[in-house]
Amino acid sequence: MSHIALYRAWRPQTFRDMVGQQHIIQTLQNAIREQRVSHAYLFNGPRGTGKTTAAKVMAKAINCERGPATEPCNECDACRGITAGTIMDVVEIDAASNRGIDEIRDIRDKVRYAPSEVRYKVYIIDEVHMLTSEAFNALLKTLEEPPGHVIFILATTEPHKLPATIISRCQRFDFRQVSLPEQTERLRQICEAEEISAEADALAYIARLSDGGMRDAISLLEQASAFGGGRITLDGAVEVTGGLAAEQFAQLADAIQTGNAADILPLVEGLMQAGKSPDKCLENLIYYFRDLLVLKLAPGGRASTERIVDQQRYHAMAEAFSSDRLFRMIDILNQYQNEIRHASLPQTIFEVALMKVSTLSNDGGAPAAASGASNGMPAASGDVKLMQQRIDTLERKLEEIAKAGVHPIAEGRPQDSAASKNPNRGAFRSAGGGGVLPRQTIKLDPYLAAADSQATNQVRMRWNEILQRVKEARITVHAWLVDGEPVSAADNTVLVAFKNTMHRETTEKPANRELIERIFQEAFGRPVHLATVMFKDWSAASVAAPAQVAEPLRMEQQDESGQVPNQPEWVEEAVKLFGEDLVVVEDK
């Protein structure tokens, strides 16, 4: 049996057959019983929850030859004709393809005539939010003064796109997503009736994937049945829907928990070679970590773990993550899920997302344990703590040096021209004698004084544009810079505050800094440097800082002599009348 035949066979023909909408069904039945049927209804809710089906059952109930009845008999000529679509007085219109004013005018002209075959004329307009503004205006006139023999039923998944004048003239019913137990039970009934062998875990997994839509659940059931030859197993359902198996979940979670990027990349490559979709994998991971979070915060309840077979290993994995880290990881993965749908390189976005969440520690912010230098194994916790202590000691020493007004320069390396122009830029070598670790120590006083300046506001307003340019130039740099926030602009320098130490250090690497400063120059039309600071240090300094006056970062284009050209007279007059504050008016 094909999916279309299966869906039609199990499409509700009466109110009692509908799943999950008892509150709406009771209200409609009471209105029919008391003969208080409204002239216009608005059914809105997620896809596949029964909006159009309820509209057709409603049309049959009020036009049934044995009624109006709270349940259609489905035996009389009117009920059978409406089910088959042969009753001309019950019209179903797809507003997505008939969205113009001419179609609505045609309805307006025909509603004046009495029904010829049944008791009421019923117009079911599906996806009504797709109508044009002119069509809505034409429909509004009909809804204001409807004939007594006409009933309108509007269905939509996006009610916020409807004019308030339309909504106010309808009785609105909000269809909700069908719950997992209700969906699972209906799928079990279908399998029994169709003689399909199905595992309980497989039905629960299919119900979970449908996002509360009964129609989607039946479609996935038919797909899994065809794949398994009439037998539906959990592994088969996972395979045919493009999901991840339990072992793949566990491997990815282990690599993320230990912060081992050397294991993450081969796992992602294996998933891609198996034909998995990056956006689907990311969606499944969000569900997986959500289940871990539910298990930690509500251990006494029943966590939704239909995808997981090995419950013992699942509990052990939940213990390996803190609640703060799980919250932060879900936020990050959700942000990348929005980007991956429109990305030209979805696999790269998926890899960056996994590597980013792997850098989080159990406090949700600091870097996780570093990987081994040669064998790819995680470093011992004692070594990590010792390294962190040494870094903290060096940071305190640099802060003391900065307070004294001395700016350290990379050892054995002369200042370049950019550094000589901007004395706030500096770096030091790591304790192991390796490459330059680009950690800045700067005086915050000039930036504190310019925190609310016009130049700072200009940088903030254009920050999203700058991030987009950086993303187009190199997405890996964008992944680190997006954690920062511009807090001030002074002395031809933009100061960016970071919450995460690793994000700041990676942004300050010479290659990354050079790219960002090049974007600054393209955006502002002149050389602009980058300075960074930890957000906690900026906040502490903001509280204790005295009011000072600093030279703001001027964004105007200089002439050949290096001077900012005079403004036109009309600009100077406008400044005198309205002030220097820049106001941006957005047309919503």
Side-chain angles (χ1 to χ4, degrees):
M1 180 180 291
S2 68
H3 159 59
I4 295 178
L6 181 63
Y7 176 68
R8 285 178 177 172
W10 286 90
R11 186 170 186 174
Q13 299 301 320
T14 63
F15 284 125
R16 71 172 68 93
D17 296 331
M18 296 187 63
V19 179
Q21 314 298 339
Q22 286 75 16
H23 61 299
I24 297 176
I25 293 171
Q26 180 178 348
T27 305
L28 294 176
Q29 288 180 328
N30 290 340
I32 295 173
R33 183 183 299 110
E34 298 172 6
Q35 296 184 1
R36 295 180 180 274
V37 179
S38 175
H39 69 282
Y41 292 92
L42 173 61
F43 293 169
N44 66 269
R47 69 181 191 277
T49 53
K51 298 184 295 297
T52 307
T53 298
K56 287 189 174 182
V57 174
M58 180 73 172
K60 290 191 293 184
I62 61 178
N63 285 313
C64 181
E65 294 179 1
R66 303 177 185 178
T70 56
E71 291 287 359
C73 68
N74 287 318
E75 296 177 356
C76 65
D77 292 339
C79 288
R80 290 202 304 265
I82 293 174
T83 301
T86 58
I87 299 295
M88 302 301 294
D89 293 321
V90 178
V91 182
E92 183 177 358
I93 301 172
D94 179 18
S97 55
N98 300 279
R99 59 193 305 263
I101 189 173
D102 293 336
E103 290 82 358
I104 303 301
R105 282 176 175 170
D106 183 61
I107 295 175
R108 187 184 62 186
D109 294 338
K110 291 180 179 179
V111 296
R112 295 177 295 176
Y113 303 106
S116 58
E117 300 178 80
V118 290
R119 193 175 294 112
Y120 290 95
K121 274 191 172 183
V122 181
Y123 288 91
I124 302 172
I125 305 179
D126 199 11
E127 301 297 335
V128 68
H129 65 273
M130 297 292 290
L131 292 179
T132 63
S133 299
E134 295 78 6
F136 273 125
N137 291 334
L139 179 62
L140 179 62
K141 183 64 176 176
T142 304
L143 292 180
E144 285 177 342
E145 301 173 359
H149 57 264
V150 175
I151 296 176
F152 284 92
I153 303 179
L154 314 180
T156 179
T157 56
E158 302 182 56
H160 58 278
K161 293 185 178 180
L162 270 65
T165 51
I166 295 291
I167 297 177
S168 65
R169 286 165 173 81
C170 301
Q171 285 191 14
R172 176 172 174 173
F173 291 90
D174 296 329
F175 284 67
R176 64 177 179 84
Q177 292 181 330
V178 183
S179 66
L180 284 174
E182 290 173 323
Q183 280 189 310
T184 305
E185 176 60 23
R186 176 52 64 90
L187 294 178
R188 187 190 63 78
Q189 294 175 3
I190 295 175
C191 290
E192 288 182 356
E194 299 294 336
E195 298 181 353
I196 299 173
S197 174
E199 297 178 357
D201 289 340
L203 295 182
Y205 173 78
I206 291 173
R208 178 75 173 273
L209 286 185
S210 65
D211 290 332
M214 199 65 235
R215 183 178 62 222
D216 292 348
I218 297 176
S219 175
L220 291 172
L221 179 71
E222 175 64 21
Q223 188 177 358
S225 175
F227 177 79
R231 174 175 172 78
I232 301 176
T233 63
L234 178 60
D235 292 339
V238 170
E239 180 67 23
V240 75
T241 57
L244 300 183
E247 184 62 26
Q248 293 171 317
F249 272 119
Q251 291 174 354
L252 278 175
D254 283 335
I256 291 172
Q257 196 275 328
T258 58
N260 195 347
D263 288 343
I264 291 176
L265 297 180
L267 287 173
V268 173
E269 186 62 31
L271 292 174
M272 300 302 104
Q273 292 294 332
K276 305 297 183 183
S277 171
D279 58 337
K280 194 68 175 179
C281 292
L282 196 56
E283 177 184 345
N284 288 340
L285 273 179
I286 293 176
Y287 276 120
Y288 180 87
F289 290 122
R290 174 263 182 195
D291 292 342
L292 290 180
L293 187 60
V294 170
L295 193 61
K296 290 186 71 68
L297 298 182
R302 181 182 178 274
S304 299
T305 58
E306 288 82 2
R307 291 179 174 83
I308 310 303
V309 178
D310 190 350
Q311 294 292 330
Q312 183 176 1
R313 185 171 187 178
Y314 189 77
H315 280 267
M317 184 61 65
E319 293 298 326
F321 290 91
S322 69
S323 299
D324 291 339
R325 184 177 183 186
L326 287 173
F327 276 120
R328 181 62 176 155
M329 287 167 61
I330 293 173
D331 287 341
I332 293 175
L333 293 178
N334 184 60
Q335 293 172 5
Y336 279 97
Q337 187 184 22
N338 295 330
E339 295 185 11
I340 201 172
R341 295 169 181 167
H342 309 288
S344 57
L345 298 173
Q347 179 179 345
T348 302
I349 300 296
F350 184 41
E351 292 170 344
V352 171
L354 295 183
M355 287 188 288
K356 186 168 184 177
V357 296
S358 70
T359 63
L360 299 175
S361 69
N362 272 340
D363 62 2
S371 299
S374 58
N375 56 9
M377 297 297 292
S381 59
D383 295 339
V384 174
K385 292 181 179 179
L386 179 60
M387 182 180 297
Q388 187 64 44
Q389 291 174 358
R390 294 176 65 183
I391 292 175
D392 292 340
T393 302
L394 289 172
E395 286 181 346
R396 286 194 296 270
K397 290 182 178 180
L398 283 173
E399 290 176 0
E400 294 173 358
I401 294 174
K403 291 179 181 179
V406 179
H407 303 280
I409 303 301
E411 181 181 339
R413 174 183 168 188
Q415 286 182 292
D416 56 16
S417 58
S420 62
K421 296 178 182 178
N422 184 6
N424 288 328
R425 299 180 61 180
F428 61 88
R429 288 188 177 274
S430 62
V436 175
L437 179 63
R439 173 61 60 83
Q440 292 180 324
T441 57
I442 62 175
K443 284 187 175 181
L444 296 179
D445 292 345
Y447 298 102
L448 292 170
D452 297 324
S453 66
Q454 182 179 354
T456 302
N457 292 334
Q458 291 179 8
V459 173
R460 288 170 178 163
M461 286 188 296
R462 301 190 63 181
W463 186 246
N464 288 335
E465 173 192 345
I466 293 172
L467 288 177
Q468 182 61 32
R469 291 192 181 194
V470 173
K471 183 177 181 180
E472 294 172 355
R474 191 176 304 164
I475 194 170
T476 53
V477 179
H478 172 269
W480 304 108
L481 182 61
V482 74
D483 183 65
E485 176 185 348
V487 292
S488 182
D491 300 330
N492 299 325
T493 304
V494 174
L495 181 64
V496 180
F498 287 85
K499 297 178 181 179
N500 188 293
T501 306
M502 176 173 287
H503 294 173
R504 179 190 180 191
E505 292 176 351
T506 308
T507 302
E508 287 183 340
K509 288 183 179 180
N512 297 343
R513 172 190 291 277
E514 181 181 352
L515 173 68
I516 295 170
E517 291 184 345
R518 176 169 59 82
I519 299 298
F520 281 165
Q521 182 170 356
E522 294 174 357
F524 299 127
R526 58 169 299 170
V528 177
H529 303 300
L530 170 69
T532 64
V533 68
M534 293 306 296
F535 198 87
K536 59 181 180 180
D537 298 333
W538 172 258
S539 299
S542 299
V543 174
Q548 296 185 16
V549 178
E551 179 187 356
L553 168 65
R554 300 184 62 84
M555 298 302 170
E556 296 88 358
Q557 181 68 39
Q558 292 181 334
D559 57 21
E560 296 179 356
S561 63
Q563 301 295 325
V564 178
N566 294 329
Q567 298 286 1
E569 293 182 0
W570 63 271
V571 174
E572 296 178 357
E573 290 298 327
V575 170
K576 291 179 182 179
L577 289 173
F578 305 107
E580 297 182 352
D581 293 337
L582 179 61
V583 178
V584 177
V585 178
E586 296 183 358
D587 187 4
K588 295 297 184 181

